[in-house]
């Protein structure tokens, strides 16, 4: 049963990411290379790709570097926390500022609603003691931190920011940093919450 959930997760996540890539290429407003860079500038895309790679590694069970990295202690909890961040930020901040239609609507819901909830459900039924190792999990905070640094540095040169709440050109550096601090704090809170919930879930299973 677990393998079926992993295969379904793999299919949903890759379909959503690849479909969004095709849509962005078809509607690009710059050259191909710049469009590809912009595509991978979205935290949503990076994190959903992590989900897709996680399920791929789980299904294939190979011993190459990337699958091994994705099977390390705490990885499932960290990825779950970050994909939930994707969903929460979208629902609270971004959903109201645009109205996708057709395939874009379907892909949008997959990336920001279905996949976050699916990953949370998968985590709930599969979390183990090794997945709630605080040291291993908190190292993953480097992921959003490095992302923000990259976006800010690149944005200062390319004048492109993937999200309005990070757009220094529009809202100023101080406000962008403030928004970043809120998101990083939310990430930390979610990680801590999953740590405590994981302990409870494991304890209930034993009983």
């Amino acid at each position: 049963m677990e393998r079926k959930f992993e295969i379904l997760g793999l299919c949903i996540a890759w379909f959503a990411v690849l479909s969004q890539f095709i849509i962005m290429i078809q509607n690009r407003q710059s050259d191909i290379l710049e469009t590809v860079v912009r595509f991978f500038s979205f935290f949503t895309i990076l994190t959903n790709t992590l989900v897709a790679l996680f399920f791929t590694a789980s299904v294939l069970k190979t011993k190459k570097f990337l699958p091994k990295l994705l099977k390390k202690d705490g990885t499932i909890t960290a990825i779950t926390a970050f994909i939930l961040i994707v969903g929460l930020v979208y629902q609270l901040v971004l959903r109201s500022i645009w109205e996708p239609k057709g395939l874009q609507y379907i892909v949008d819901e997959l990336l920001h609603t279905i996949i976050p909830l699916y990953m949370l459900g998968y985590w709930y039924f599969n979390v183990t003691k090794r997945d709630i190792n605080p040291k291993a999990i908190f190292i993953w905070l480097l992921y959003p931190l490095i992302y923000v640094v990259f976006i800010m540095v690149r944005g200062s040169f390319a004048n492109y920011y993937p999200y309005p709440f990070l757009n220094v050109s529009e809202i100023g550096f101080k406000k962008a940093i403030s928004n970043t601090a809120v998101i990083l704090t939310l990430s930390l809170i979610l990680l801590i919450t999953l740590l405590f919930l994981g302990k409870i879930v494991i304890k209930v299973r034993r009983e």
Side-chain angles (χ1 to χ4, degrees):
M1 183 62 72
E2 179 182 342
R3 184 173 175 80
K4 291 181 180 179
F5 277 107
E6 291 170 348
I7 292 174
L8 181 58
L10 178 159
C11 293
I12 294 173
W14 280 123
F15 170 79
V17 171
L18 293 176
S19 295
Q20 184 61 63
F21 179 75
I22 292 171
I23 291 171
M24 193 163 178
I25 290 294
Q26 290 176 337
N27 296 282
R28 66 184 183 276
Q29 298 177 340
S30 56
D31 60 64
I32 294 291
L33 180 59
E34 176 63 18
T35 301
V36 171
V37 173
R38 290 185 179 186
F39 177 75
F40 287 106
S41 294
F42 285 89
F43 191 76
T44 294
I45 296 301
L46 293 174
T47 308
N48 273 278
T49 300
L50 274 177
V51 172
L53 289 171
F54 172 80
F55 281 124
T56 301
S58 299
V59 170
L60 297 180
K61 300 185 185 302
T62 60
K63 296 182 179 181
K64 294 181 179 180
F65 172 74
L66 187 57
K68 285 178 65 177
L69 177 64
L70 292 169
K71 299 296 286 184
K72 283 185 175 295
D73 293 356
T75 296
I76 182 176
T77 301
I79 292 177
T80 300
F82 294 131
I83 197 64
L84 287 176
I85 289 289
V86 168
L88 285 172
V89 171
Y90 180 79
Q91 308 303 332
L92 297 175
V93 180
L94 302 174
R95 180 178 285 280
S96 62
I97 67 176
W98 81 316
E99 296 182 5
K101 305 292 184 180
L103 178 60
Q104 179 64 80
Y105 173 79
I106 295 172
V107 172
D108 206 57
E109 291 302 319
L110 286 173
L111 292 171
H112 300 101
T113 305
I114 304 303
I115 293 174
L117 290 176
Y118 191 91
M119 190 67 197
L120 178 61
Y122 180 84
W123 173 87
Y124 179 85
F125 288 107
N126 293 280
V127 64
T128 63
K129 188 175 181 180
R130 64 187 291 267
D131 298 317
I132 53 173
N133 181 332
K135 183 179 179 180
I137 290 173
F138 290 139
I139 289 176
W140 275 88
L141 284 171
L142 288 172
Y143 166 55
L145 185 59
I146 292 172
Y147 169 79
V148 169
V149 171
F150 167 74
I151 292 303
M152 292 299 184
V153 172
R154 184 175 190 277
S156 66
F157 290 101
N159 195 31
Y160 174 80
Y161 299 88
Y163 299 105
F165 52 81
L166 294 179
N167 194 330
V168 175
S169 300
E170 295 289 335
I171 64 175
F173 184 76
K174 185 177 180 180
K175 183 63 175 177
I177 291 299
S178 176
N179 290 338
T180 297
V182 170
I183 294 173
L184 289 175
T185 300
L186 183 58
S187 298
L188 181 59
I189 291 172
L190 268 175
L191 285 172
I192 293 173
T193 300
L194 289 179
L195 278 174
F196 281 105
L197 285 178
K199 291 178 181 180
I200 295 172
V201 170
I202 294 170
K203 184 178 180 180
V204 169
R205 279 201 210 127
R206 288 175 179 173
E207 296 175 352

